[in-house]
Amino acid sequence: MKKYIQKKNGSGVGEQKMKDKLISFIQPSRNNLKYLQWSYNSIRKNLGPDHEICWADDFSDDGTWECMNEIIKKDKNIRIHRNEGPTRLGHTILYDTLVDMATNDIVMIYHADMYACPGLDKEVLKHIEPGKVVSATRIEPPLHPDGPEKILEDFGIEPEEFDEEKLLKFVSENKKEMSEDKITNGIFAPWAIYKDDFISIGGHDDLFAPQSKEDSDIFNRFVLNGYELIQTWKGLVYHMTCRGSRFKDGAKRNPDGQVFMKNRESDEWLAQNLRSTRNFIRKWGHFVKHDELMMPIVPPKYDIGFQVMNTDINFLKELEPWCSCIYLDGNSDAYIDEYIKSEQPNTKYDLTKRVKQYGADDVTKNHNIVVQFDAKEFDNNAYQVINNISEILKDSGEIGTMEYYIFRFFINSLDTHEKDLILVK
C-alpha cells in the first residue's frame, strides 16, 4: 500500500514535550453565533489562552463576522476567514481553508456547538503522534439515539439553559472512576491529527461540498492510508448536536422535560445529504459502513459495469451510482439525455462516461466485472444484492461466469481499487 504519511525528523515533533504542543481548533460557522460564543468561552476558560482557534464565517447574517472581529482585538490566538458569498461554501471547503491557515502542527476538527471540558487538550495530546488520529468523547443530550461511542447525559439543549456546574461535576467524577485510560478504536468529531498527515492525503474531497459524507470519506481514507484511529474517553466535550443547516430551528423541551429537535431536517440539508450519499456510492461502491464504535469499514472497490434490459429513467436514477458504467438497451435514447441533464449538476463525475447504450456491442469485456440483468425481474431482494455487491464479490467471486439470483456476472478480474481513492488530487 502506498503511504502518504509525512514523518517529522528526529529533531522535530518526536522529541517535543507534550506540554509544548499546541492545538489549532478548526471551527467553520454559519449563523451559529450563540453556539460559537459558548464554545469559544469554554476553550479559553477550560484549556487556556495558548491554543489557536481558526474560525471561518460562511456568509452568516447573524453578526458572526462582526463578533469575530471584536474578539481578535483581545485574543491574539484567533485567526479568522470570511466567505463573502453570495452562496455558502460549507464546512467541507472551509475545514481545509482553516487547516491551511493554522500555524500549529496539530489541528482539531471541532464543531461550533461543542463545549471543551477541562483536560480535553491534555488527554488528546497524550496520545497524538504522526500517523495517528485522536478523537475525544462526546457527551450529548438525548436528542439522538444512544450509542456505545458516546455518553448520553442532559446538561442543557441550548446555551441559555446549559448547566455548566452539573456538567463539570459529572466530568470530574467520570475521571475519578476511570483510573486507567480507556481507549477504543473509532472516529467522530472532534478529532485531532497532525496537519502534515491531513494535507498529505489531500484533505477533504470537495465532491461532498458543501457538507455531508465528507467526514465518512476522509475517515475511509485515513484507514486505507494506515493511520491509527483512537478515541480517548478521558478527553470530553459536551455536544449540543446538529445546530447548523440540518436542524436550523434548534431544540426544545416539552412540559415533561423530554427533549427533541423542533422540526425535521431542513429541506436544504435533506437535498444535500441525498446528493452526497449518491456521490459517496459512486466513489466507494457502497453506503457508509462502520462498526458500533464508529470505526470505518471499507469493503473492496471493484470496476463494475451493469448491462440492463427493459429500464426506464427511474430505474436508471436508482442504479447509476452503483457501477462504473450502466449500459442500457435501445429503448433508452429519450431518457438518457434527460437523466444526464438533470443529474450532472449534482456530481463532478462525467455522466456521459457512466451512462451508455449497448446496442449490438458485447460489453462484457469493458470492465473487470459486468453484471447483466432484466429490470422487469428486479425486486427488493435484487436491490439488496446491489447494495452488498462488494461483499458478495469478495466472498464468492471467481474468474469466469457466475449466476446469482437474477444476475449473471462476467468476472474478468477481481482486482480492487479502493487504495486508489486515498489521495484527493
Side-chain angles (χ1 to χ4, degrees):
M1 176 171 66
K2 186 175 181 181
K3 301 286 284 185
Y4 295 96
I5 296 173
Q6 297 180 359
K7 298 288 186 181
K8 297 285 186 177
N9 60 38
S11 61
V13 172
E15 298 178 356
Q16 194 175 24
K17 293 181 180 179
M18 188 185 77
K19 69 178 183 180
D20 296 328
K21 295 181 185 177
L22 293 171
I23 298 170
S24 291
F25 288 84
I26 305 301
Q27 283 190 300
S29 182
R30 181 178 70 137
N31 290 331
N32 266 337
L33 180 56
K34 71 174 180 178
Y35 303 105
L36 190 68
Q37 290 172 316
W38 173 76
S39 181
Y40 166 73
N41 290 335
S42 75
I43 293 172
R44 286 298 180 244
K45 176 181 178 180
N46 295 330
L47 309 185
D50 295 329
H51 296 297
E52 183 175 68
I53 303 174
C54 299
W55 281 332
D57 171 27
D58 194 5
F59 195 50
S60 299
D61 59 9
D62 65 347
T64 292
W65 183 241
E66 292 77 10
C67 181
M68 288 178 176
N69 277 278
E70 285 300 311
I71 290 175
I72 64 170
K73 293 176 183 178
K74 302 174 286 185
D75 191 332
K76 65 183 179 64
N77 283 323
I78 299 284
R79 295 175 67 81
I80 63 174
H81 169 81
R82 178 168 168 81
N83 167 30
E84 297 289 351
T87 59
R88 69 179 290 222
L89 290 176
H91 53 243
T92 301
I93 301 296
L94 293 177
Y95 279 147
D96 292 46
T97 299
L98 294 177
V99 168
D100 287 341
M101 290 173 55
T103 63
N104 291 321
D105 289 333
I106 299 164
V107 295
M108 178 174 261
I109 301 299
Y110 199 84
H111 294 179
D113 60 353
M114 287 178 171
Y115 174 100
C117 297
L120 166 68
D121 51 348
K122 294 177 182 177
E123 296 302 330
V124 168
L125 293 172
K126 185 190 298 182
H127 299 286
I128 194 77
E129 58 186 55
K132 184 179 289 187
V133 188
V134 181
S135 295
T137 293
R138 294 164 292 139
I139 306 169
E140 293 184 350
L143 291 164
H144 303 285
D146 197 3
E149 85 291 353
K150 62 184 176 181
I151 299 168
L152 220 61
E153 292 287 343
D154 186 359
F155 300 107
I157 56 173
E158 293 291 340
E160 297 87 349
E161 65 156 56
F162 173 55
D163 194 334
E164 183 177 41
E165 183 179 350
K166 187 177 178 182
L167 170 67
L168 295 179
K169 181 181 178 183
F170 175 85
V171 169
S172 177
E173 291 173 350
N174 178 76
K175 289 186 175 181
K176 287 179 182 178
E177 291 175 6
M178 202 175 295
S179 57
E180 296 183 6
D181 282 357
K182 178 183 175 182
I183 298 296
T184 53
N185 294 109
I187 184 168
F188 195 95
W191 49 269
I193 188 172
Y194 269 90
K195 181 175 175 178
D196 283 350
D197 286 345
F198 181 87
I199 292 173
S200 66
I201 64 167
H204 289 97
D205 190 343
D206 65 3
L207 173 67
F208 304 101
Q211 64 175 53
S212 192
K213 304 300 182 291
E214 83 293 331
D215 49 358
S216 297
D217 173 80
I218 202 170
F219 297 165
N220 279 6
R221 291 157 49 218
F222 288 163
V223 169
L224 292 171
N225 203 39
Y227 296 169
E228 182 182 1
L229 311 185
I230 70 166
Q231 177 180 341
T232 170
W233 286 74
K234 293 180 77 172
L236 301 167
V237 299
Y238 188 66
H239 183 213
M240 290 203 170
T241 79
C242 299
R243 301 310 168 90
S245 63
R246 184 173 181 179
F247 292 100
K248 291 182 177 181
D249 298 322
K252 68 179 179 180
R253 195 180 297 276
N254 69 17
D256 294 328
Q258 295 172 314
V259 300
F260 52 93
M261 307 310 293
K262 289 182 181 178
N263 292 306
R264 68 177 179 86
E265 291 95 339
S266 68
D267 291 340
E268 175 192 32
W269 184 87
L270 289 169
Q272 178 55 35
N273 186 60
L274 176 61
R275 285 192 291 271
S276 287
T277 298
R278 291 173 64 79
N279 279 319
F280 189 91
I281 296 167
R282 288 184 180 107
K283 181 172 182 177
W284 293 100
H286 57 81
F287 288 119
V288 174
K289 294 179 181 289
H290 52 73
D291 68 16
E292 63 177 5
L293 292 172
M294 307 303 290
M295 184 68 182
I297 298 170
V298 189
K301 168 70 172 178
Y302 296 99
D303 172 30
I304 301 174
F306 290 164
Q307 183 178 5
V308 193
M309 288 71 75
N310 299 311
T311 53
D312 58 27
I313 192 168
N314 294 323
F315 192 87
L316 170 58
K317 183 174 183 178
E318 195 71 38
L319 270 295
E320 174 267 316
W322 290 96
C323 58
S324 303
C325 182
I326 184 167
Y327 298 88
L328 307 174
D329 56 31
N331 299 319
S332 56
D333 281 1
Y335 61 82
I336 286 180
D337 289 343
E338 180 184 349
Y339 173 74
I340 291 174
K341 183 177 180 180
S342 65
E343 183 70 8
Q344 190 62 70
N346 296 321
T347 184
K348 291 168 59 179
Y349 288 94
D350 184 350
L351 295 183
T352 64
K353 297 179 180 179
R354 294 179 58 86
V355 184
K356 300 178 181 179
Q357 285 185 317
Y358 60 82
D361 296 337
D362 178 8
V363 300
T364 60
K365 300 296 183 183
N366 287 9
H367 301 273
N368 288 349
I369 300 161
V370 174
V371 186
Q372 290 181 343
F373 56 100
D374 189 331
K376 289 183 177 179
E377 299 175 354
F378 205 83
D379 57 14
N380 186 62
N381 289 331
Y383 185 66
Q384 293 306 311
V385 172
I386 296 298
N387 284 183
N388 296 286
I389 196 167
S390 294
E391 287 91 340
I392 291 169
L393 287 166
K394 179 182 178 181
D395 294 339
S396 306
E398 295 181 357
I399 303 299
T401 304
M402 181 176 82
E403 304 286 339
Y404 194 99
Y405 195 50
I406 68 166
F407 304 98
R408 192 176 191 195
F409 289 74
F410 295 84
I411 302 177
N412 305 306
S413 169
L414 287 168
D415 291 346
T416 66
H417 305 277
E418 65 275 4
K419 293 176 184 177
D420 298 338
L421 304 177
I422 295 172
L423 183 64
V424 173
K425 300 178 175 65

